[in-house]
């Protein structure tokens, strides 16, 4: 007799198939089992979790709130089981595959070269293509046209899986002879007297968080953070930027200066996280699991560890 709370691998596979197909018949076909067996597996799942999990609405089986909450854990559990079965058969050196990663240019400029160098050593037959996020990044992960996203814009939809990979520190960059650097101590009010250089798609803007509300409207808006040095060198604008970008690019190549945040300047309560996001449909694929591990290592190596 089945122990209370015990869930089998077959049941987990049915759960994920039902999530994808929204049909018990289609899920059974995907798993190569008969419909009566799929019905028994669903009944067992419902008993284990004390919830209907999937309910019929019209012609589809829609997940309940509990099923939506369970999906990441189910996918992670199934992925662990699949790794156990695949450990002795998967060989990255023999892999021939193109991985698509969605990422903004600023973090990509740091972790991208590290990832490419790692793949060339561990899996010479594999390649990676990088794409800009845009508004449809979640749809690309859902339909399989992309494999993973690094810190995509907007909220992460329910049901997607995510990993906190890096927590980068931030500073303020400006030209080396900026008038602010003549002050003995810089405050948020001092910053507000000068325009901010804002990356159009970035969430890491200082202007809107200035506590005294006197931020200048003379902002410099640019589409890409890597274009910032030219604007900073030619104006009195300042910019919130990742410490690593300033250290490795802005200072040595362009001679920009950097200062820590003033005590009363709080653009965010804590440094934002870089997250790796993927769709549960790829959770149990050994190649995808391996690639996400390489991606995580590259982000942590180039951008800093999330727990550091």
């Amino acid at each position: 007799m089945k122990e209370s709370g015990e869930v089998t691998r077959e049941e987990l596979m049915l759960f994920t198939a039902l999530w994808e197909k929204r049909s018990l018949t289609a899920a059974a076909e995907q798993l190569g089992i008969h419909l009566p067996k799929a019905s028994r597996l669903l009944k067992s799942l419902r008993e284990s979790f004390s919830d209907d999990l999937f309910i019929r609405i019209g012609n589809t089986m829609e997940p309940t709130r509990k099923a939506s909450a369970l999906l990441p854990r189910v996918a992670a559990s199934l992925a662990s089981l699949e790794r156990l079965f695949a450990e002795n058969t998967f060989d990255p050196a023999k892999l021939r595959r193109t991985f698509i990663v969605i990422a903004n240019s600023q973090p990509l400029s740091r972790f991208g070269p590290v990832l490419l160098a790692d793949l060339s050593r561990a899996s010479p037959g594999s390649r990676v293509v990088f794409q800009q996020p845009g508004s449809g990044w979640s749809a690309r992960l859902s339909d399989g046209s992309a494999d993973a996203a690094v810190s995509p814009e907007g909220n992460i939809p329910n049901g997607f899986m995510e990993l906190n990979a890096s927590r980068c520190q931030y500073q303020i960059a400006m030209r080396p002879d900026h008038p602010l650097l003549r002050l003995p101590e810089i405050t948020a009010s001092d910053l507000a007297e000068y325009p901010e250089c804002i990356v159009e798609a970035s969430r890491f803007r200082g202007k809107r968080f200035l506590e005294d509300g006197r931020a200048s409207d003379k902002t410099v808006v640019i589409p890409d953070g890597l274009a910032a040095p030219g604007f900073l060198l030619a104006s009195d604008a300042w910019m919130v930027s990742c410490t690593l970008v300033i250290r490795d690019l802005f200072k040595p190549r362009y001679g920009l200066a950097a200062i820590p945040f003033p005590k009363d300047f709080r653009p965010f309560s804590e440094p934002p996280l870089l997250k790796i996001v993927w769709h549960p449909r790829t959770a149990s694929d050994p190649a995808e699991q391996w690639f996400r591990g390489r991606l995580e290592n590259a982000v942590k190596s180039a951008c800093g560890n999330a727990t550091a």
Side-chain angles (χ1 to χ4, degrees):
M1 178 179 292
K2 180 177 179 179
E3 296 291 334
S4 176
E6 179 184 340
V7 179
T8 68
R9 177 170 174 260
E10 230 178 354
E11 289 169 359
L12 294 177
M13 292 174 68
L14 177 71
F15 185 104
T16 57
L18 260 176
W19 181 276
E20 292 179 19
K21 299 297 185 181
R22 298 296 202 271
S23 162
L24 190 59
T25 300
E29 290 177 354
Q30 178 174 301
L31 298 178
I33 61 177
H34 296 299
L35 186 58
K37 182 175 183 179
S39 296
R40 290 195 298 272
L41 292 173
L42 178 58
K43 180 181 178 182
S44 181
L45 277 168
R46 285 168 166 169
E47 291 173 354
S48 295
F49 292 108
S50 301
D51 188 83
D52 286 337
L53 298 178
F54 295 89
I55 56 177
R56 184 170 296 283
I57 300 178
N59 295 323
T60 64
M61 297 284 286
E62 295 296 332
T64 64
R65 287 187 177 181
K66 187 162 189 176
S68 298
L70 284 170
L71 178 64
R73 290 157 54 193
V74 169
S77 298
L78 188 56
S80 296
L81 288 172
E82 294 297 335
R83 279 197 300 272
L84 180 64
F85 290 110
E87 269 180 357
N88 296 325
T89 59
F90 176 68
D91 184 359
K94 297 179 180 178
L95 189 64
R96 299 291 184 271
R97 189 157 174 176
T98 297
F99 296 96
I100 308 295
V101 176
I102 298 169
N104 280 313
S105 59
Q106 191 174 89
L108 175 58
S109 67
R110 286 171 279 139
F111 77 79
V114 177
L115 178 61
L116 288 178
D118 184 27
L119 286 184
S120 68
R121 290 189 299 267
S123 183
S126 298
R127 62 189 293 262
V128 60
V129 174
F130 300 107
Q131 297 179 345
Q132 284 284 347
S135 59
W137 65 265
S138 59
R140 281 182 273 164
L141 292 182
S142 296
D143 65 20
S145 58
D147 298 283
V150 177
S151 199
E153 298 295 333
N155 296 324
I156 298 172
N158 290 334
F160 279 71
M161 306 188 76
E162 58 185 89
L163 168 72
N164 295 334
S166 174
R167 188 188 296 279
C168 186
Q169 301 300 312
Y170 287 79
Q171 291 181 305
I172 295 172
M174 61 185 66
R175 61 186 173 89
D177 57 344
H178 196 288
L180 284 171
L181 298 178
R182 302 171 194 159
L183 301 176
E185 182 179 2
I186 300 172
T187 67
S189 295
D190 296 325
L191 285 175
E193 297 298 324
Y194 295 91
E196 181 187 6
C197 184
I198 294 176
V199 178
E200 189 174 24
S202 176
R203 289 164 290 174
F204 308 146
R205 302 176 184 177
K207 181 168 80 81
R208 68 173 114 173
F209 297 99
L210 288 170
E211 293 181 359
D212 64 5
R214 294 192 298 112
S216 168
D217 289 330
K218 297 178 181 179
T219 56
V220 179
V221 181
I222 57 177
D224 190 308
L226 298 180
F231 291 94
L232 295 179
L233 288 170
S235 71
D236 286 337
W238 52 272
M239 177 182 178
V240 173
S241 183
C242 175
T243 299
L244 292 176
V245 172
I246 295 174
R247 184 196 70 190
D248 298 337
L249 179 66
F250 287 1
K251 274 189 174 181
R253 185 169 296 182
Y254 301 100
L256 289 172
I259 60 169
F261 290 166
K263 294 177 182 178
D264 58 348
F265 177 73
R266 295 290 180 270
F268 25 75
S269 57
E270 60 181 13
L273 286 161
L274 278 181
K275 296 186 175 186
I276 297 174
V277 184
W278 66 97
H279 193 272
R281 59 186 290 279
T282 67
S284 60
D285 183 325
E288 293 277 359
Q289 293 167 6
W290 173 82
F291 177 73
R292 284 193 296 270
R294 308 325 301 165
L295 178 59
E296 178 187 356
N297 289 343
V299 172
K300 287 181 176 179
S301 173
C303 305
N305 198 312
T307 58

